[in-house]
Amino acid sequence: MSRIVVLTGAGISAESGLGTFRDAGGVWTQVRLEDVATPEAFARDPAMVRAFYDARRDAARRAAPNAAHRALAALEAAGRDLLIITQNVDDLHERAGSRNLLHLHGELAKALCAGCGARWAWGEGPMTDDSACPECGEPGGVRPDVVWFGETPYGLDAAYAALGACETFVSIGTSGAVYPAGGFVREARAAGARTLELNLEPSEVSRLFHETRLGPASDLVPAWAAEILGV
Ligand code: BJW
């Protein structure tokens, strides 16, 4: 059975109402990434950074999976050997039913203690300076469990192992602007995989794919999944 690795980015959640980063009107056109997405920004102004992610967490909770998330979950449910490596910090893949999933850039629904490194599910409500870590008991260091610039992404060993053994690599809704994920297509090609990009527009790494299909993920992903299922 074909081993498939799917890399997803913000574009797959765009039609669920969650903003992308680098498109017109995207997150990084509204706020400087240096102000919210680095450990230095958190050290400078933890309240502002927490508030930014509290709002993102609320938006993600209100959003629902779309046809693209559901089509990937359906492939897994149909028994296909498929790993999703998502750069997204929302939980729309899980809520669509995907289980074989790796969150490279962390999860909005989790907290991380900047002091002791503990990670835990974050319930309702904002993170504050008074929030205490359940492991070390220290307040003040509770932050969203997301990977900021300069930090090491999660699950890289598993990601590279899967890329080195895959037969098909599909990249969905990502600009390829952020590394190491932007280099995954090279890893897959080195392993001999067929590589396919599904995106609204050509990405920064389109030239590296065997094939690029342009259009909204909610059209392209169900169509590709139907091809895989032979329906
Ligand atoms: C649609 C659509 C629709 C829209 N349908 N498609 C110089 C050179 C190379 C690298 C570096 C460098 N200087 C520094 C670095 C490393 C740095 C990096 O890559 N910087 C670049 C800016 C140059 N990377 C890091 O620091 C990473 N860590 C690291 O490298 O550690 C070292 C290490 C490596 C390896 C081993 C060991 C150690 C960490 C990166 C962390 C990224 N974090 C963020 C924020 C997370 C929290 C949050 O959400 O706020 O992750 S940044 C942001 O970008 C977020 C995303 O996951 C990530 C990728 O964005 P994505 O998903 O591609 O979104 P967009 O907006 O860019 O693109 C959307 C796409 O969708 C577009 O193409 C649209 O066309 C498309 N689209 N609608 C289909 N309906």
Side-chain angles (χ1 to χ4, degrees):
M1 187 171 301
S2 148
R3 290 183 296 267
I4 305 170
V5 173
V6 174
L7 172 69
T8 63
I12 197 169
S13 296
E15 292 164 82
S16 294
L18 300 179
T20 62
F21 293 92
R22 295 167 185 83
D23 295 315
V27 174
W28 298 153
T29 67
Q30 298 166 36
V31 57
R32 278 165 29 99
L33 67 87
E34 295 84 357
D35 291 339
V36 291
T38 64
E40 294 77 16
F42 182 69
R44 261 194 321 269
D45 193 345
M48 198 268 274
V49 172
R50 287 190 190 109
F52 172 75
Y53 284 99
D54 287 342
R56 301 262 312 279
R57 190 181 316 108
D58 285 349
R61 283 199 172 130
R62 285 195 305 272
N66 64 51
H69 299 101
R70 290 194 297 272
L72 294 179
L75 275 183
E76 188 183 332
R80 293 304 183 274
D81 181 353
L82 177 136
L83 170 68
I84 299 174
I85 304 174
T86 188
Q87 298 169 85
N88 297 343
V89 293
D90 65 54
D91 61 354
L92 297 183
H93 284 302
E94 291 92 321
R95 283 161 54 198
S98 289
R99 294 292 169 261
N100 201 16
L101 174 68
L102 192 161
H103 274 281
L104 199 70
H105 292 164
E107 297 171 66
L108 278 170
K110 289 186 179 165
L112 166 69
C113 176
C116 75
R119 302 164 72 195
W120 67 97
W122 187 259
E124 296 291 321
M127 293 183 184
T128 73
D129 231 25
D130 297 328
S131 310
C133 168
E135 291 279 329
C136 68
E138 289 294 321
V142 175
R143 55 165 276 190
D145 186 18
V146 300
V147 178
W148 288 324
F149 286 100
E151 297 185 321
T152 303
Y154 289 120
L156 280 175
D157 288 348
Y160 284 121
L163 290 163
C166 72
E167 293 169 26
T168 304
F169 174 76
V170 184
S171 172
I172 304 171
T174 175
S175 61
V178 172
Y179 284 79
F184 283 0
V185 59
R186 283 196 171 86
E187 299 288 327
R189 283 200 74 144
R194 177 91 194 153
T195 57
L196 170 65
E197 178 176 62
L198 307 177
N199 210 334
L200 203 53
E201 295 169 359
S203 74
E204 296 194 9
V205 289
S206 288
R207 69 189 181 287
L208 300 175
F209 287 83
H210 290 104
E211 186 186 356
T212 293
R213 299 180 189 173
L214 300 181
S218 64
D219 287 346
L220 296 183
V221 181
W224 168 73
E227 284 171 26
I228 297 293
L229 292 172
V231 294

